[in-house]
Amino acid sequence: MVAARQRRRWGVPVLLAAYVGYLGLGAAVLQALERPAEVQAAQHLLREHWELLTNHTCLQGPALQRLIEGIIQAYKSGITLQGNTTSLGRWDYSGSFFFSISAITTIGYGNLSPSTAVGRIFCIVFALFGIPLNLVLLNEIGQLMLLGVQHCAHRLEEVFHWQNKASFLMKTCALVTGLLLFLLLPPLLFSDKEGWSYEEGFYYSFITLSTIGFGDYVIGMNPDRTYPSWYKNVISLWILFGMAWLALIIKFCINILESSSDFCQCHKQNTEMAEDFMDGNKNSMTGLQNAEISSNKDTKMKEPVESHSYTAPTEAL
């Protein structure tokens, strides 16, 4: 109990320091990569703004600013301009169904949100009960995946009489299959339906399945494209099973980190025990040396007395 409490007491500050350091490193790298593009985009926007006002003197600055803000607000609500008309469709049944999935899976893309007070209240209640339901379902799907891998490994052990190789082989196959189904192949579908590059599709796949959900890439939101009716339904199933698979991978990584932490702690305890043992040996050796020195001193103190008592009779003779 004492060792466990000491490990927890020292483990939390170490993990917190590693956590903050990791965040600091990520912030520094992202700032170095993204800050120049941000500055360039801001300068380009400002230049376009002043060129528009210069070339069209009938436009007033405040009026143009209100128009821009209105366009931005409409885009957030899912409305875009197409010539003289506007496009709707984000809040039809398929769009609402996809929003419901993004809510209870805690992805939260942020590109679409309720604009009415009643809709926001319903979203809170819906997510309050939907998030636990989603977690329970993901846990069950993950358990089924694990049971399938274990069953296949057991069958391989029975057929080929493999003991250690079967489990390793099935785990490798499950990892490769998951990579193909949930991360490597879906970007090809997104490239065809959304017009994204493979890198953008792969980025969207990981950001979605990990529930980060930045919202910079969202499927089915391009008004210039026509999507099949099955598209969002298939993507919803992909999100559900992909999140369960990625949760298993993340859990595996957590186990590795915890094992390495326990190993380091055990190594530290063994080192401390070895140092204490060495200190104990040193103290024992010091005690023996002190005892020998004391014994030698006593012997030396006694030797003159004995020689004196022995020579006295000789002198008498």
Side-chain angles (χ1 to χ4, degrees):
M1 290 293 294
V2 177
R5 290 178 180 176
Q6 290 179 352
R7 184 166 67 88
R8 290 180 180 176
R9 183 180 64 183
W10 291 106
V12 172
V14 171
L15 287 176
L16 182 60
Y19 182 80
V20 174
Y22 192 76
L23 289 177
L25 177 62
V29 173
L30 288 173
Q31 181 183 13
L33 294 176
E34 299 296 331
R35 182 65 175 178
E38 180 189 27
V39 173
Q40 184 179 1
Q43 293 175 350
H44 177 73
L45 177 62
L46 188 60
R47 185 169 56 252
E48 291 288 334
H49 178 268
W50 286 112
E51 287 180 358
L52 182 63
L53 290 177
T54 303
N55 297 329
H56 301 80
T57 56
C58 60
L59 291 176
Q60 299 295 325
L64 179 61
Q65 184 66 28
R66 288 194 298 270
L67 177 61
I68 294 173
E69 291 176 355
I71 292 174
I72 293 174
Q73 186 63 35
Y75 180 79
K76 289 182 178 179
S77 301
I79 303 172
T80 57
L81 288 173
Q82 289 182 327
N84 295 326
T85 61
T86 57
S87 65
L88 300 173
R90 291 194 179 184
W91 283 114
D92 58 3
Y93 187 79
S94 61
S96 301
F97 186 81
F98 192 73
F99 172 79
S100 301
I101 292 178
S102 67
I104 66 174
T105 55
T106 68
I107 296 175
Y109 289 114
N111 67 312
L112 189 63
S113 59
S115 58
T116 63
V118 178
R120 291 168 182 168
I121 294 174
F122 174 78
C123 185
I124 293 173
V125 177
F126 180 75
L128 184 64
F129 293 96
I131 291 174
L133 178 62
N134 176 73
L135 293 176
V136 171
L137 179 60
L138 290 180
N139 183 58
E140 292 297 325
I141 293 175
Q143 293 297 325
L144 287 177
M145 290 181 178
L146 286 177
L147 289 175
V149 172
Q150 294 174 357
H151 177 72
C152 294
H154 182 67
R155 293 292 298 174
L156 286 177
E157 290 178 0
E158 292 180 349
V159 175
F160 297 100
H161 302 287
W162 293 342
Q163 294 181 352
N164 297 326
K165 294 181 179 179
S167 178
F168 176 78
L169 180 61
M170 289 310 304
K171 290 179 180 179
T172 304
C173 291
L175 177 62
V176 173
T177 304
L179 284 174
L180 289 174
L181 292 178
F182 302 120
L183 289 179
L184 298 180
L185 293 180
L188 299 177
L189 178 62
F190 300 143
S191 298
D192 179 59
K193 300 301 180 182
E194 304 289 342
W196 300 339
S197 64
Y198 185 85
E199 177 270 331
E200 290 172 336
F202 184 83
Y203 168 78
Y204 167 78
S205 299
F206 181 80
I207 293 301
T208 296
L209 297 184
S210 60
T211 70
I212 297 174
F214 289 123
D216 47 354
Y217 290 93
V218 183
I219 59 116
M221 298 300 173
N222 192 345
D224 297 329
R225 288 183 172 268
T226 302
Y227 300 100
S229 58
W230 54 265
Y231 182 55
K232 287 187 178 181
N233 296 328
V234 171
I235 296 303
S236 300
L237 291 176
W238 167 76
I239 290 175
L240 188 62
F241 287 91
M243 285 179 60
W245 173 80
L246 191 60
L248 293 177
I249 301 300
I250 294 175
K251 184 178 179 181
F252 176 73
C253 295
I254 291 174
N255 292 334
I256 292 177
L257 291 175
E258 289 180 346
S259 299
S260 61
S261 177
D262 294 339
F263 174 77
C264 294
Q265 187 67 28
C266 182
H267 179 70
K268 180 179 178 181
Q269 292 178 355
N270 292 334
T271 304
E272 292 176 352
M273 292 177 62
E275 291 177 353
D276 294 339
F277 181 74
M278 293 298 294
D279 291 339
N281 288 340
K282 288 180 181 178
N283 293 332
S284 300
M285 294 299 294
T286 304
L288 291 175
Q289 291 176 357
N290 293 334
E292 291 178 356
I293 292 173
S294 300
S295 177
N296 292 334
K297 287 183 179 180
D298 293 340
T299 304
K300 289 181 180 179
M301 291 295 294
K302 290 179 181 179
E303 283 179 354
V305 177
E306 292 176 355
S307 60
H308 179 72
S309 61
Y310 179 77
T311 55
T314 306
E315 292 178 351
L317 291 172

